[in-house]
Amino acid sequence: MNAAENVAPPWCDAAPDGAGAPAAAAIWQLGPRRTAPPAGWVFALGPDGALAPGAGALIEAAPAAAEVLISDDVTQMDGCGALGLKPAFDPLLLERMDYAGRAVFFRAGVLGSAALAALEAGAPPATLIEPGRRVAHLPYPAAIFAAPAAAPPARPASRAPLGPVAAIIPNRNSPRLIRAALAAILAEDGAPAPVAVVIDNGSDDPETLAFYEELRREPRVRVERRPAPFNFAAMVNRGAALAEAEFGEIAAFLLLNNDIEAPKRGWLRPMEETLAAPDVGVVGAKLLFPDRTIQHAGVIVGHGGVAGHDLKGAPESAPGLAGRMAAPHLREAATAAAMLVRADLWRALGGFDARAFPVAFNDVDFCLRAGAAGWRVALDPRAVLLHHEGVSRRRPLSLSRYLAHRQERAALRSRHMTVGRIDRFESPWRDPENLTPTFRMLKTLPPIRF
């Protein structure tokens, strides 16, 4: 068992990403001075690992409910340290990749004799976390490693889809866009194949109307024309109700913007598999701009006092926090531009709030209400779609639209206390105002969080 002495890690003058050993040293300055290993806890950092300054006292001070702690860490590479920041405990991510590494601490008595022996023999600690254990995140670089550990092979986590999927697509004119959006759905396989409902908001373009006539011969598509003042949330709600009326039992609704395009087939099945994971009620997709930079990789709740898209403008290959863009993982919210929702959850929450959030933040509000009701929100980066953001609604910003947007922002802030909120699936050391991950310093250590 590793109860290693603290070590003084070598610094480098500057870390390329601004989050290396100097940042770790600055965090350690905020921690306690005690250097002894934590009493009442067991861990195995391995022969190249050591407990970091102040870590023992912080671990000992963990809430009594915490049975397991996953901490941030520092890995020395070529004389420089890479600071490994992590989200709150993410069991979905752990299914496919060991983002926790060896910086895992178990309260004494949590591990049985066989698990304790496995830990001492070098088993990945995360594989020893039993379901139902209270796992918390210590946002402090509590462990120092001499070199990156070899990543264990990804564990498959395939699940059967829940059942029939109905796509809901609001539209007005935009014939090229709605054709591409419907093609993205109709090209997907399934048993049964997904169906689609188009809720039209007063199209008058002859090409669009001619396309709707063509769709009368498509048994998997329904179109309803409802000229009315634009209310995206109300259109989605109506589409969900119509889907169940027209197609019978639906297991999940796929909310889809009309400016979504699929670069290749096979994107829906991963989202369906992730939606079938325990307690997952919402799954978002990875969305790219046409130039293949990221448009959406999950929502950061608290950005700008409301919410913003993680990694917006970053390269398609950006790894994200703890490398999580390589696998399905949990988020607080995702965009409804491409969002798969369990039908029973949709009905339980009454769909989108079309009165408070007719245009903006209806998806964030829904996700946060789902989380408050005990459901999980996920992002599946295996589902990659193109998003021609805003192409179908390029209108000059009027005073009424500006005031309406301000009212929606105020409603989200009031209902979900988003001003100053730290998204639990982000690191508290990340600057939430920068959509490209940027380290920031805090005046005090953030608390351990579940």
Side-chain angles (χ1 to χ4, degrees), residues 302 305 417-422:
M417 305 300 178
T418 55
V419 175
R421 177 170 175 156
I422 301 300

Side-chain angles (χ1 to χ4, degrees), residues 103-437:
V104 181
F105 303 84
F106 297 89
R107 195 178 289 277
V110 164
L111 296 178
S113 57
L116 196 59
L119 183 68
E120 293 175 341
T127 63
L128 305 176
I129 301 175
E130 298 174 344
R133 290 294 184 189
R134 291 280 284 163
V135 184
H137 170 230
L138 173 60
Y140 184 83
I144 308 167
F145 299 100
R155 297 180 291 276
S158 180
R159 295 180 173 92
L162 299 174
V165 171
I168 313 301
I169 312 175
N171 185 62
R172 185 177 191 278
N173 294 324
S174 311
R176 186 191 68 79
L177 294 178
I178 188 61
R179 282 182 181 273
L182 277 172
I185 293 297
L186 299 180
E188 291 300 291
D189 297 326
V195 296
V197 171
V198 177
I199 301 296
D200 184 84
N201 186 227
S203 289
D204 53 12
D205 170 68
E207 185 178 350
T208 302
L209 300 179
F211 178 54
Y212 287 164
E213 286 300 314
E214 294 177 28
L215 291 175
R216 290 180 180 272
R217 299 188 294 274
E218 174 51 69
R220 293 166 56 194
V221 179
R222 298 289 187 274
V223 177
E224 181 174 271
R225 299 179 63 196
R226 294 173 62 86
F230 182 76
N231 184 317
F232 177 84
M235 293 169 71
V236 171
N237 290 347
R238 173 56 188 165
L242 182 60
E244 292 191 300
E246 290 287 319
F247 296 108
E249 182 179 354
I250 298 296
F253 298 114
L254 176 68
L255 315 185
L256 202 68
N257 278 16
N258 67 342
D259 53 2
I260 291 292
E261 183 178 351
K264 62 181 181 180
R265 298 172 59 177
W267 58 271
L268 180 58
R269 182 58 182 263
M271 296 179 74
E272 292 182 277
E273 292 177 354
T274 298
L275 192 68
D279 300 324
V280 172
V282 180
V283 179
K286 179 179 179 178
L287 305 182
L288 306 178
F289 289 112
D291 67 359
R292 307 292 297 199
T293 58
I294 294 175
Q295 190 270 336
H296 168 266
V299 167
I300 301 173
V301 177
H303 172 77
V306 279
H309 289 189
D310 189 16
L311 299 177
K312 189 170 185 177
E316 180 180 1
S317 60
L321 180 68
R324 65 186 175 188
M325 288 306 293
H329 56 272
L330 298 181
R331 304 302 296 251
E332 283 209 327
T335 179
M339 173 193 285
L340 191 64
V341 183
R342 289 181 61 122
D344 53 355
L345 170 60
W346 183 263
R347 290 188 292 267
L349 296 186
F352 282 170
D353 185 338
R355 179 171 296 181
F357 305 101
V359 178
F361 304 121
N362 35 60
D363 44 9
V364 178
D365 169 68
F366 182 86
C367 289
L368 294 178
R369 286 191 287 130
W375 292 90
R376 291 169 170 167
V377 177
L379 182 86
D380 198 322
R382 301 172 299 171
V384 180
L385 297 165
L386 299 181
H387 187 193
H388 303 270
E389 186 181 27
V391 169
S392 62
R393 298 195 69 238
R394 285 179 173 170
R395 293 183 295 160
L397 180 63
S398 64
L399 178 60
S400 61
R401 285 181 61 199
Y402 169 74
L403 293 177
H405 185 67
R406 285 195 59 176
Q407 191 171 17
E408 289 171 315
R409 290 175 62 90
L412 191 74
R413 289 174 170 178
S414 174
R415 179 176 292 182
H416 298 291
M417 305 300 178
T418 55
V419 175
R421 177 170 175 156
I422 301 300
D423 189 310
R424 66 187 302 267
F425 292 110
E426 291 298 326
S427 168
W429 299 103
R430 174 178 175 171
D431 180 0
E433 299 309 311
N434 195 329
L435 296 177
T436 300

